[in-house]
Amino acid sequence: MTSEPVTPPDPGGPPDLAELARIVARQRAELDRLRDQAATSAVVERAKGAVMALTGCSADAAGERLLQRAKAARHTLLEECWITLGSLAPTPPGPGEATEPVDTDAPVSGTDLLEGSAAPDDVAAALARLGQALVRVATPHDLARCLLEHLGPDMAADAIMIYARRPDGGLALIGHAGIGDRLASQWGRVPPLSGVAALEALRAGEPRWLEDLPSDARRYLLIGEPPERWRSRAWLPVVTAGPAEVCIGVLRRRAGAFTSRDRAHLRGVTDLCAGRLRALDTPAERSTDTATVAVQALFDALPVSAMLLTPVRAASGEPEDFRVEAATAQVGDLLGRTGEEPAGRRLLEFRPALAGGPLWRDCLHVLATGEPREGEPFAHEETVADVAELFTYTTRVAPLGDALVVSWIRHGSSDRQEQRLAELQRLGNLGWANWNLVTREGSWSTQAFTLLGRDAADGPVRLTEMPELALPEDTPALTRAVGELVQAGRAFDVPFRIRTTGGIRHLRLVAEAVADSYGTPVEVHGFVQDMTARRRAELALVESERAILTQHDVLQAERTLASRLQHALLPMANRPVHLAGLRVEVAYLPAQSDVHVGGDWFSAIELPDGDALLVVGDVAGHGVDAVATMAQLRFTAKGMVITGSSLTGALARLNTLLLHSRDSHATATMVLARYDPRRRRLVWAQAGHPPPLLLRDGEARYLDRPRGMLLGATATPVFEEAECRLAPGDRLILYTDGLVEHPPESIDLGLERLAEAVAAPHTDGPVSLGSLLARMLPDERRDDVCVVDVRVPGIMET
C-alpha cells in the first residue's frame, strides 16, 4: 500500500490559473444557462399570452392547453410555443371585417406527418434541439447561422438564405450563412421576376424542391457563381395565419432528392422559424430629421467607414446605449455583421459583443470629456478580388455636438510595417538603438527607453555613457566591450544589470559598427533586450537542481537506514518452517521503483498453547516512519495475542495505539489468523485488508471477509471474527496488496489473476511460492510485496 500526502494550496501563494480558468468557464456556462432559461420563459409566456387573447382563458389554462397540444403532437413545450406564435394572424381584422376563429387546440405543425405517419424519433429530437437553440437567435442572420449548424450535419446543407417580401413584390435578403459577402451583395435584392423559385414558393405558399439541376436551370433563375455550386436546393415559405412573407432557402452541394424524412424535417423547421421570426423585436424607426439625412447622404458619398451615434440615456441620465443615426455601408462588415444595416438600430442591439469593449469605453470617454480618442490598431480580414487579405485599422471617436462620429482608418503598408516592428519589440522584450559616432548623437525606440528605465524626454545617452547605467560590478565588462567596438569595430553581446524602481533588471546589449571607406567606425546599430524572466528561470532551475540532489541524498540515506531496520525486524527464513503441523513459507520483496522502503510485514509463530499465529500487514507510506510504525504494530500484535487477547481485541487496541502515536495520521491494514491444529480450526479477523485465498481440491476461492475497519481511521472501529475449517491438502495464501494491485490495472483484476495462478494445474507438482511470485509480479514493482504461503499436509504426508 502506498500513500501520497496532499499539500493544501498556500493562501499567500500565486493563484492557480488553471483553477481560475475552470471557475470562469463554469460561471460563463451558468450565465449562458440562466440567459437561455430567461429567454425560454419569455417565449413560453408570450405564447401563453397569445392563447389567452384568442380564447379568453386564464394563464394557467393557457399553459395547460400548450402542454396538452405539445403532448398530442409529440413536441416539446418550447416547440409548441414557437408554432403557436407563428400561427397567429399578422394583423387584427379591421372594423366590420370577419375573421375565422383560430382553433388553438389543433396542432398546425408539418412535423406530424411523414407519408401519413408521425415524424420519426430522430426528426422529433432534432426539432426539439432547434427549438431550444432558437431562444439565442436575435437577428435573421443569427437565424441563418443557427439553421446551418442544425441542418448541415443532418442533411448536408451547405448554405442558408432567408428572403423577405418587399412592398414592390420583390425579395430582400435579410439573413444568410454559408455564402460569401460578394454573392450576398449581388443577390441582396431580387426584383419581382418570373422564374425565381423563392418568389414562386411565397406566392403559392408551398415549397419548391429543386432536385434535378439540368431541368431546374431551364425553369428557374438559379443563385450561385456558378449555379452548379449547389446541385440541389429547397425553398420553403414560412407559412403563418396570413400570406407568407418570408422564404427560407436550403442549398446543398450534394445532388439528389430530398427524402420524405428531409421534407418533413424542413416543414417542421419552417413552423418553428415562423414563431421565431414573429418574436424578433422590430428595429426602432430611424430618425428622419434634416441633419441626420444630410449626414447619411455625406456618408454615402465618402469611401470611408464611419457612423453617427447619439446617446440613449437611462432614467439616471447615464448613457446605457447609442443609437446609430447614420452609417456607411462598410460598418456592418467591420462590426462583424456583414450585410446588415446598422442605421436606425441601437449599437448594443446591433452588436452586443461591443459592451465593455475598447470601442464602447472610447465612446463613453469622448462623451464625458469631449476630447477625441483613438483606439489601438487591430487586424481585419477582407476579401479583395476573391482573395482574403488582412488589413490594419484604427478606430477614432470624435464629438459632434451632442453626438459622436466613429470612423475607421485603414493603414497603408508602411504603417503596418511600423506597427509590426513595434509589436515585435514588445513581444520580444527588446528595443533598437542607434548611435552616430561622428555627431555623438543617438536614437532609441520607445521600447528601449522603457527597458532601460529612462524617460524619453531626457533623450538617449551616448554610447560611451552606456556603462554608467549598469551596476558597478557589471560596468568594467560593458566599458571594455564599448571601447573595443568604437576603436576596432568589434561587435559585442554583453549581459549587464541595472537598478530600476521595480528592482534589479537583467539586460543584454548587442551592437555592431558600420565603418566608412577607411575602415573607421562611424555608426553603431544595436538592440537592448530584457532577460530578467529568463535569468530568474535559470537561477530557479539551478536552485531546484541543487535541492533535488540534496533531497536525493537524504532519501538515499533514509532508504539505507530503513532497509537495515527492516532486515533486522523481519528476519527471513531460508526454507519453509513447520508451525503447529503447518508448512509455512514466507516471502518479502521490496519495491524497485522508489527510493523509499515500505511498511509491509508478516509474522508466523507458534504460540505457547501449540496454536499458530499468522499475520500480514501493511502500513501506509514509506521510509523510516513507516518501518517504525510497522515494528510497533508487529511486536505489539504478537505480544497481545501471546498474552491472551482475542483477535478482535488486539485489533481494537492496535487501532487505539495508532490514534495516539506520534504520527497521528498513520494508518495500516492487516490480517490476524490463529490456527488450532487439534481441530484444524482457523479463526481470523481483518482490518481493511484483502481476504486470504484458500485452495482446496484444485479450486481457489477467497474467504468471506468479516467486518473490519482500517486501523487508525476512527476512534470507534468495528471488528468481527470469521472461522474456517482447514482440510488436509489445503493451501492458504495471506498477502499484501502489492501482490495484486498494479496500476492502471484494477485490484479486482489482480485478485482474479491470483486465484487463477494458484488454481492452475502443474504437471511438475504443486506450484511453489517462487513460481507464483514470478507469474504475478511485473518487471518493476512500485510497492512492497509480502506473502505468507500456508499448506496443510495431506493424509499421506501426515
Side-chain angles (χ1 to χ4, degrees):
M1 176 181 292
T2 59
S3 175
E4 182 178 350
V6 178
T7 304
D10 181 7
D16 186 343
L17 296 183
E19 181 61 26
L20 291 178
R22 287 191 290 270
I23 292 173
V24 171
R26 287 196 298 268
Q27 290 175 339
R28 286 178 177 172
E30 178 64 14
L31 181 59
D32 291 341
R33 186 188 67 80
L34 293 175
R35 285 174 176 169
D36 288 351
Q37 183 178 353
T40 301
S41 299
V43 174
V44 173
E45 293 302 318
R46 198 166 186 170
K48 287 168 61 176
V51 174
M52 292 167 60
L54 291 171
T55 63
C57 65
S58 65
D60 291 341
E64 184 62 29
R65 287 198 181 198
L66 288 171
L67 286 172
Q68 291 176 356
R69 287 164 49 187
K71 183 177 180 181
R74 298 177 61 204
H75 297 154
T76 64
L77 176 61
L78 191 56
E79 285 182 88
E80 193 61 42
C81 291
W82 288 129
I83 294 170
T84 298
L85 292 173
S87 63
L88 298 176
T91 55
E97 295 182 7
T99 179
E100 184 177 350
V102 178
D103 183 4
T104 61
D105 292 322
V108 294
S109 171
T111 62
D112 294 331
L113 296 178
L114 178 57
E115 296 182 352
S117 62
D121 291 340
D122 59 336
V123 171
L127 291 174
R129 290 192 298 271
L130 176 62
Q132 186 63 48
L134 288 178
V135 301
R136 294 186 290 272
V137 168
T139 67
H141 276 286
D142 289 343
L143 177 60
R145 286 188 285 266
C146 178
L147 292 179
L148 185 58
E149 292 176 1
H150 177 77
L151 298 176
D154 189 86
M155 61 181 68
D158 296 296
I160 300 292
M161 301 181 73
I162 303 178
Y163 278 108
R165 194 198 302 268
R166 296 200 334 245
D168 62 359
L171 298 175
L173 184 64
I174 61 173
H176 63 83
I179 67 172
D181 296 338
R182 182 176 178 181
L183 186 63
S185 177
Q186 291 176 346
W187 290 87
R189 292 180 180 270
V190 179
L193 303 173
S194 59
V196 177
L199 270 173
E200 286 193 9
L202 283 177
R203 291 166 182 162
E206 290 291 337
R208 290 294 180 262
W209 309 99
L210 282 63
E211 300 164 325
D212 183 3
L213 187 63
S215 61
D216 293 335
R218 291 191 296 269
R219 179 177 178 184
Y220 296 111
L221 181 62
L222 299 181
I223 295 174
E225 289 184 353
E228 294 80 9
R229 176 181 179 184
W230 294 298
R231 304 186 65 81
S232 61
R233 44 192 104 193
W235 292 97
L236 302 105
V238 179
V239 180
T240 60
E245 298 294 334
V246 176
C247 187
I248 298 176
V250 179
L251 293 77
R252 307 189 302 183
R253 292 188 178 92
R254 186 178 75 183
F258 290 85
T259 65
S260 56
R261 175 195 174 281
D262 292 342
R263 295 190 179 200
H265 189 171
L266 289 174
R267 289 181 186 273
V269 167
T270 58
D271 289 339
L272 299 181
C273 290
R276 176 69 275 181
L277 287 168
R278 181 174 294 279
L280 291 179
D281 295 329
T282 304
E285 292 296 326
R286 295 183 58 182
S287 173
T288 55
D289 60 86
T290 305
T292 301
V293 172
V295 172
Q296 184 63 60
L298 176 62
F299 281 2
D300 291 339
L302 293 176
V304 297
S305 301
M307 61 181 176
L308 177 66
L309 303 178
T310 55
V312 177
R313 299 185 182 275
S316 62
E318 295 295 323
E320 62 179 7
D321 204 344
F322 292 90
R323 186 180 304 281
V324 184
E325 302 294 352
T328 59
Q330 302 94 323
V331 168
D333 182 48
L334 285 169
L335 293 180
R337 293 291 189 180
T338 303
E340 296 188 49
E341 175 61 48
R345 302 173 66 176
R346 290 192 176 192
L347 186 60
L348 295 185
E349 171 199 341
F350 181 71
R351 191 67 168 116
L354 293 176
L359 177 58
W360 178 260
R361 293 194 297 269
D362 289 347
C363 289
L364 294 179
H365 176 82
V366 175
L367 189 64
T369 64
E371 299 176 355
R373 194 176 182 91
E374 190 169 296
E376 293 291 332
F378 66 93
H380 178 70
E381 185 178 279
E382 298 179 10
T383 302
V384 179
D386 295 329
V387 177
E389 293 186 21
L390 278 177
F391 292 91
T392 302
Y393 281 85
T394 298
T395 308
R396 187 176 188 274
V397 183
L400 181 63
D402 295 332
L404 301 177
V405 175
V406 180
S407 57
W408 284 265
I409 304 169
R410 189 166 82 175
H411 300 282
S413 58
S414 60
D415 296 329
R416 292 201 301 272
Q417 290 175 0
E418 184 176 343
Q419 176 63 26
R420 289 168 184 166
L421 178 60
E423 291 176 353
L424 176 63
Q425 293 182 78
R426 177 179 56 82
L427 295 174
N429 258 341
L430 56 85
W432 59 261
N434 292 332
W435 289 275
N436 189 311
L437 301 181
V438 178
T439 63
R440 298 186 178 182
E441 295 178 349
S443 60
W444 292 357
S445 67
T446 303
Q447 189 70 8
F449 283 102
T450 301
L451 296 179
L452 290 166
R454 185 174 176 82
D455 191 344
D458 297 333
V461 300
R462 296 179 180 180
L463 178 60
T464 54
E465 297 172 355
M466 281 293 295
E468 299 176 6
L469 301 179
L471 294 182
E473 51 266 39
D474 295 340
T475 300
L478 190 56
T479 301
R480 184 168 53 254
V482 170
E484 292 177 351
L485 175 68
V486 173
Q487 296 171 10
R490 184 176 301 167
F492 66 79
D493 182 344
V494 177
F496 66 100
R497 293 166 295 170
I498 64 172
R499 188 180 302 277
T500 67
T501 55
I504 300 299
R505 181 175 295 169
H506 294 261
L507 300 177
R508 168 194 181 201
L509 180 60
V510 180
E512 65 178 6
V514 178
D516 60 11
S517 58
Y518 300 101
T520 303
V522 294
E523 193 170 3
V524 173
H525 306 307
F527 67 85
V528 59
Q529 185 175 18
D530 188 354
M531 307 294 289
T532 305
R534 179 176 175 179
R535 183 57 180 161
R536 287 175 180 171
E538 290 173 351
L539 293 175
L541 180 59
V542 171
E543 186 64 27
S544 176
E545 290 176 347
R546 184 181 297 117
I548 289 173
L549 291 175
T550 302
Q551 182 68 14
H552 183 272
D553 293 340
V554 171
L555 293 177
Q556 193 61 44
E558 182 180 319
R559 175 182 173 84
T560 301
L561 174 61
S563 180
R564 290 177 179 175
L565 285 173
Q566 194 175 56
H567 284 298
L569 296 171
L570 289 178
M572 297 293 298
N574 295 327
R575 57 182 180 275
V577 297
H578 295 274
L579 304 172
L582 301 175
R583 178 182 179 275
V584 180
E585 186 178 0
V586 297
Y588 173 79
L589 300 174
Q592 294 176 325
S593 60
D594 202 317
V595 298
H596 288 302
V597 175
D600 291 20
W601 89 93
F602 67 89
S603 285
I605 62 172
E606 190 167 313
L607 300 175
D609 60 0
D611 290 357
L613 177 64
L614 306 170
V615 187
V616 292
D618 186 356
V619 174
H622 289 118
V624 175
D625 289 341
V627 174
T629 303
M630 175 268 286
Q632 189 179 35
L633 293 178
R634 182 173 186 264
F635 292 114
T636 304
K638 289 195 299 183
M640 285 190 293
V641 175
I642 289 174
T643 56
S645 292
S646 65
L647 301 182
T648 55
L651 289 176
R653 291 182 177 88
L654 291 174
N655 181 75
T656 303
L657 179 65
L658 277 186
L659 290 175
H660 294 85
S661 65
R662 61 186 180 85
D663 183 6
S664 60
H665 300 292
T667 59
T669 68
M670 64 185 301
V671 167
L672 279 174
R674 182 168 186 157
Y675 175 69
D676 180 359
R678 294 169 292 279
R679 293 181 290 176
R680 291 199 181 95
R681 176 173 174 262
L682 181 78
V683 178
W684 68 288
Q686 61 85 28
H689 201 87
L693 176 65
L694 175 64
L695 176 66
R696 176 176 293 172
D697 298 330
E699 180 181 350
R701 70 177 180 87
Y702 290 98
L703 300 183
D704 294 333
R705 288 203 316 171
R707 288 199 298 170
M709 305 178 66
L710 182 76
L711 297 179
T714 177
T716 57
V718 177
F719 299 108
E720 293 181 352
E721 292 181 350
E723 181 179 332
C724 175
R725 297 282 181 170
L726 298 183
D730 282 355
R731 183 182 184 188
L732 190 70
I733 306 291
L734 286 73
Y735 53 91
T736 57
D737 58 2
L739 181 66
V740 293
E741 190 173 21
H742 309 295
E745 177 184 281
S746 70
I747 192 172
D748 292 335
L749 184 57
L751 292 170
E752 292 178 8
R753 290 177 56 244
L754 176 61
E756 293 173 357
V758 171
H762 292 267
T763 56
D764 56 348
V767 62
S768 66
L769 181 55
S771 61
L772 175 64
L773 294 176
R775 181 171 180 177
M776 287 296 300
L777 298 179
D779 294 335
E780 184 174 331
R781 297 182 300 278
R782 298 197 296 180
D783 198 3
D784 295 355
V785 176
C786 186
V787 181
V788 177
D789 186 357
V790 180
R791 300 178 190 243
V792 182
I795 296 177
M796 297 300 296
E797 297 176 84
T798 59

